[in-house]
């Protein structure tokens, strides 16, 4: 166990290392940004937070989720959002910064991690963010019907998404909690042969008429393990603007939709609770 440090750190700040429910958490100061930290769980990077600039998203997949969030409603309009998986609350902070007066629920099962993040990287007391320390699906079940404009799923346990958050039954709960115009976005991690990713696309397409995928071309070609962002809605997605933003990122991504996405799925079947398995573990080299 390490010592915690005040979030108003100086240049000689040390990492915070503590045991949490999901393993060992590290909060590592960013040498390039004065009050920014990276959260790692058992060595796997989970979140990056800049307390001075919560609208700054460092990780590739979080920037892509940020694009979906930006386009889920008119700029600056408050939304009602549910975040399944909390980490360091990066995306909840992002919504609070870019859409003031939003009302948000964060569901993070790891209560010890929640306490650590609240202590070292406290939330803005003026932000309307409620954190629940329960299982993601259990927390989602408590969201009222049609409450959410946005539901973001970014849940990992031991660097793998739990099986019960990959099924059509899980997405039935997502659809129930979303407004008719609401948007669902999920972080999906996979590598060659991309069987998990294809199954997740098929699962989303079985429950949403509009589905798009944002990913690095090398991941889509099965050349490396990586993250893809799945976006889904009952209404048409802003594909042109998503495509433009993804292409302009420091690490450009591609947006797949329609026939191309169906072809990429390759006939994969939707995943049910009975057949669901956790996402594959990333190879050790991913975090080198």
């Amino acid at each position: 166990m390490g010592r915690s440090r005040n979030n108003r750190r100086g240049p000689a700040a040390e990492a915070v290392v503590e045991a949490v429910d999901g393993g060992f958490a590290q909060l590592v100061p960013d040498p390039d940004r004065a009050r920014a930290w990276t959260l790692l769980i058992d060595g796997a990077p989970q979140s990056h937070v800049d307390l001075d600039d919560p609208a700054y998203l460092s990780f590739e997949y979080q920037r892509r989720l940020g694009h979906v969030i930006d386009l889920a409603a008119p700029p600056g309009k408050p939304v009602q959002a549910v975040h399944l998986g909390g980490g360091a609350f990066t995306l909840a902070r992002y919504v609070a910064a870019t859409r003031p007066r939003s009302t948000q629920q964060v569901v993070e099962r790891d209560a010890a991690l929640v306490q650590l993040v609240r202590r070292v990287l406290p939330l803005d007391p003026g932000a309307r963010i409620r954190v629940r320390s329960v299982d993601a699906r259990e927390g989602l079940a408590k969201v009222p019907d049609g409450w959410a404009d946005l539901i973001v799923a970014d849940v990992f346990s031991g660097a793998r998404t739990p099986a019960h958050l990959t099924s059509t039954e899980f997405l039935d709960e997502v659809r129930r909690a979303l407004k008719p115009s609401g948007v669902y976005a999920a972080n999906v991690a996979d590598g060659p042969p991309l069987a998990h990713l294809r199954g997740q696309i098929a699962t989303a397409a079985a429950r949403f008429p509009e589905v798009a995928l944002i990913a690095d071309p090398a991941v889509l070609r099965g050349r490396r393990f990586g993250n893809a962002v799945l976006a889904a809605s009952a209404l048409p997605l802003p594909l042109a603007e998503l495509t433009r933003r993804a292409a302009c990122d420091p690490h450009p991504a591609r947006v797949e939709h329609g026939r191309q996405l169906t072809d990429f799925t390759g006939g994969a079947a939707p995943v049910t609770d009975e057949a669901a398995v956790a996402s594959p573990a990333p190879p050790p080299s991913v975090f080198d």
Side-chain angles (χ1 to χ4, degrees), residues 43-45 283-288:
S285 60
V286 166
F287 306 124
D288 288 348

Side-chain angles (χ1 to χ4, degrees), residues 206-218:
R207 291 299 183 264
F208 288 93
E210 297 291 332
V211 179
L213 189 74
I214 311 169
D216 185 315

